[in-house]
Amino acid sequence: MGGAVSAGEDNDELIDNLKEAQYIRTDLVEQAFRAIDRADYYLEEFKENAYKDLAWKHGNIHLSAPCIYSEVMEALDLQPGLSFLNLGSGTGYLSSMVGLILGPFGVNHGVELHSDVTEYAKQKLDVFIRTSDSFDKFDFCEPSFVTGNCLEIAPDCCQYDRVYCGAGVQKEHEEYMKNLLKVGGILVMPLEEKLTKITRIGPSAWETKKILAVSFAPLVQPCRSESGQPRLVQLRKSERWESGTRIPRANCWPGTRLVSLYWFLTIL
Ligand SMILES: C[S@@+](CC[C@H](N)C(=O)[O-])C[C@H]1O[C@@H](n2cnc3c(N)ncnc32)[C@H](O)[C@@H]1O
């Protein structure tokens, strides 16, 4: 997938091209794309291709095309303080861009199938935090990555404001994905060869919009452990939760500074 816009000489020129072609439409998304150099998520020997509007795959490492990430970031309608779950979080490129918008009161979780890719993402994140000028210019919501199959998330996990899946979702998993969302939340995923945006408008009501024709590698199905039990993926809950304050499931991570302050004071 990709090739929708011309290649850039550098990251800024790639973003200029994505903007001109209307893939990037809002200031927040533009700032996040400019703050993170796509080449930093490539292996050294392949960096020369980083500013082309093309997907890149090497072993288990896989990045989608810039025009796809632009559509995804716009469709997610991100705001500071929201909780975000990235299924198939890969190199962490998208999670880091999202983290720049979520800010210090957000939640930023990623689940990746391959442990070598999770390690790669953690290294890239570490370099970004230590060396990037952008890190000092934004209030960053640092992503946390876990290895596991995202179709086996523990049932007691919180629901999220925003969910993205970076691999093709089979029709039989559509309901599972929709139930990861809080009411009011937005899910973006490739479903039946279309990038699809689903908004949860009520406890059992969702609105679906097809955004773009896409071709994604499918989500890998879980394989059972020797005991026949699923290996459940545990996502780290917020500190408030761990300190013993039970938050009703539908109200996890309410997403406003005011409510964060309320919980902080309650814990004190
Ligand atoms: C196109 S890549 C996503 C890249 C990511 N958006 C980034 O910023 O680097 C899709 C990812 O989904 C992962 N994946 C596929 N099936 C999965 C599953 N069932 N559970 C978790 N991750 C999965 C793949 O290993 C791959 O890293």
Side-chain angles (χ1 to χ4, degrees):
M1 282 301 299
V5 304
S6 314
E9 282 291 311
D10 56 20
N11 198 60
D12 270 328
E13 207 175 289
L14 172 64
I15 308 316
D16 291 344
N17 297 344
L18 289 164
K19 224 183 130 186
E20 200 179 300
Q22 295 279 301
Y23 283 96
I24 293 178
R25 297 180 288 275
T26 58
D27 290 348
L28 270 185
V29 170
E30 179 184 350
Q31 284 159 21
F33 268 90
R34 290 199 191 277
I36 298 202
D37 194 322
R38 189 167 187 260
D40 291 344
Y41 291 78
Y42 271 62
L43 289 167
E44 201 56 46
E45 60 270 37
F46 300 104
K47 279 187 194 285
E48 67 201 273
N49 294 322
Y51 309 124
K52 295 178 181 161
D53 185 26
L54 293 175
W56 173 59
K57 188 158 170 46
H58 181 81
N60 287 332
I61 303 169
H62 192 180
L63 269 172
S64 299
C67 68
I68 302 291
Y69 284 129
S70 308
E71 287 290 359
V72 169
M73 290 282 288
E74 292 290 356
L76 283 171
D77 191 16
L78 296 160
Q79 293 147 37
L82 296 183
S83 55
F84 173 62
L85 175 62
N86 189 358
L87 305 171
S89 46
T91 66
Y93 171 63
L94 179 75
S95 292
S96 289
M97 284 198 292
V98 169
L100 295 176
I101 299 180
L102 298 182
F105 300 103
V107 169
N108 194 355
H109 289 167
V111 182
E112 167 55 44
L113 185 67
H114 297 291
S115 55
D116 58 331
V117 182
T118 308
E119 276 318 301
Y120 185 85
K122 287 179 178 171
Q123 282 166 22
K124 295 294 176 192
L125 175 63
D126 182 54
V127 172
F128 173 68
I129 290 174
R130 279 190 296 105
T131 63
S132 172
D133 291 345
S134 307
F135 183 72
D136 300 327
K137 292 186 193 137
F138 289 81
D139 281 332
F140 188 46
C141 181
E142 190 176 328
S144 75
F145 302 113
V146 295
T147 301
N149 193 307
C150 69
L151 293 169
E152 295 187 316
I153 291 175
D156 67 341
C157 117
C158 271
Q159 291 165 315
Y160 290 78
D161 295 303
R162 299 290 184 267
V163 178
Y164 172 62
C165 183
V169 177
Q170 296 83 358
K171 192 70 185 159
E172 68 263 30
H173 298 308
E174 184 180 350
E175 289 306 304
Y176 169 91
M177 295 288 169
K178 282 158 64 171
N179 282 306
L180 293 169
L181 275 186
K182 287 203 267 189
V183 173
I186 295 173
L187 160 68
V188 178
M189 62 179 173
L191 181 71
E192 298 182 309
E193 308 285 301
K194 301 272 181 339
L195 191 66
T196 304
K197 174 174 177 171
I198 296 179
T199 307
R200 189 166 194 173
I201 54 173
S204 44
W206 290 265
E207 236 170 43
T208 300
K209 193 177 155 200
K210 305 278 178 194
I211 303 172
L212 189 72
V214 287
S215 166
F216 274 65
L219 266 183
V220 174
Q221 300 302 297
C223 50
R224 292 287 147 137
S225 63
E226 278 168 22
S227 66
Q229 298 300 313
R231 298 181 191 88
L232 290 181
V233 177
Q234 302 289 346
L235 292 163
R236 199 157 51 106
K237 290 167 183 154
S238 68
E239 260 126 50
R240 313 191 274 280
W241 186 294
E242 277 162 3
S243 68
T245 316
R246 294 261 340 152
I247 302 167
R249 185 180 169 105
N251 293 332
C252 293
W253 304 311
T256 67
R257 287 176 185 222
L258 201 61
V259 180
S260 297
L261 181 65
Y262 167 79
W263 282 111
F264 179 66
L265 293 174
T266 309
I267 289 162
L268 283 182

